[in-house]
Each structure stands twice: as structure tokens, then as C-alpha cells.
Amino acid sequence: MNIAFFLLPKDEVIYLSPRSTMRQALERMERHRYSAIPLVDQNGKYAGTITEGDLLWKMKNTPGLTFANAHTVRLDQIEQHVKNQPVHIHADMEDLINLAMEQNFVPVIDDKEVFIGIVRRKEIIEYCAAVIRREELRA
């Protein structure tokens, strides 16, 4: 099976620039009900994933930081506590599954390391469930 089969392309993915603000991230997360958003730099390269936890830790550890002034903090100023690893578009399914065990989604990059989309854990689980059902029918 090819990873591209599971790919949600970049133009359908909610992502932010590392130069976006903390407030923009909070608003996007709220609007789309996400707990994490991939970051893509000005060259189109995957730059990490910002999570709700990262934003909460920044607020907790920054005296005076509130939602009202969160527009003053850029995402590249916030430590990413979880390092979501991307997968190459030509990687094996096993590589994808191993990453998905630890990540809600797996960023996908092309031959030039450019971000081209994500694979959500949901699609991987659905694929694995279908494989199990087929195997059970054969038995």
C-alpha cells in the first residue's frame, strides 16, 4: 500500500507559519476543534507541530501572558514539547504506522523535504481494521 493513498493534501490541511502568532493558533484550534496544527515555513518545509499543551505551557511560564496579548508571541518562540516526525511520501506503511502510534497525524514530505500534507491516525486505523476483516473472512 502506498502512503499517498491516505494523504490529506496540503490544500485541505489547516496549518500555520512558525511566524504566526499564538493567538492565531488558539483561534484556529478552537474553530477547527484541533489539539495540534502542523507548522510550515516560508519555503514550504515542515517546521514542527504546535499543540495545545505547548501553548498552555507558554502561558503558564510567561508572567502576564494572556489571550488578550497572545498576538505578541510568535509560534517560533514557543517550545514544542512533542516532536512530531514527518514521513517521506515513499516510505513503507510500517514506518507510517509506527509514527501514527505516537502521533495523531503524520506530516508527509516529498523528495525535496517540502510539506505535502498529512495522514491522520483515523485513516490508518480504518485501513488496519479493513485488513483484519479481510483476514477473518478468509479464515
Side-chain angles (χ1 to χ4, degrees):
M1 180 63 59
N2 187 319
I3 288 175
F5 177 77
F6 300 101
L7 184 71
L8 182 64
K10 180 180 178 180
D11 64 348
E12 295 178 29
V13 174
I14 302 303
Y15 62 91
L16 291 166
S17 162
R19 299 191 54 80
S20 298
T21 68
M22 185 174 179
R23 184 173 181 137
Q24 289 170 314
L26 289 164
E27 289 173 344
R28 285 254 171 104
M29 286 178 174
E30 179 183 31
R31 183 177 325 120
H32 298 283
R33 299 180 155 230
Y34 291 162
S35 59
I37 295 179
L39 301 178
V40 179
D41 71 15
Q42 67 275 9
N43 297 315
K45 308 241 180 188
Y46 173 68
T49 296
I50 197 77
T51 68
E52 289 176 327
D54 298 333
L55 301 174
L56 288 170
W57 281 110
K58 181 66 174 175
M59 285 190 124
K60 177 188 177 290
N61 295 321
T62 307
L65 181 59
T66 65
F67 181 74
N69 62 7
H71 67 280
T72 64
V73 178
R74 288 193 333 253
L75 297 179
D76 59 9
Q77 298 170 315
I78 299 173
E79 181 181 353
Q80 295 172 27
H81 292 86
V82 176
K83 303 296 183 201
N84 279 12
Q85 296 299 313
V87 68
H88 191 275
I89 189 65
H90 300 296
D92 296 328
M93 278 300 295
E94 185 175 344
D95 296 331
L96 178 64
I97 290 169
N98 286 333
L99 288 172
M101 287 192 293
E102 304 296 325
Q103 302 172 189
N104 289 337
F105 63 87
V106 179
V108 181
I109 56 176
D110 69 9
D111 294 334
K112 295 181 181 178
E113 307 294 315
V114 171
F115 176 80
I116 58 173
I118 64 171
V119 175
R120 296 178 292 199
R121 186 185 289 167
K122 175 184 175 189
E123 280 77 22
I124 297 168
I125 292 171
E126 288 172 350
Y127 166 77
C128 291
V131 168
I132 291 169
R133 281 193 296 275
R134 282 194 304 270
E135 290 298 317
E136 288 172 349
L137 289 175
R138 289 183 194 164

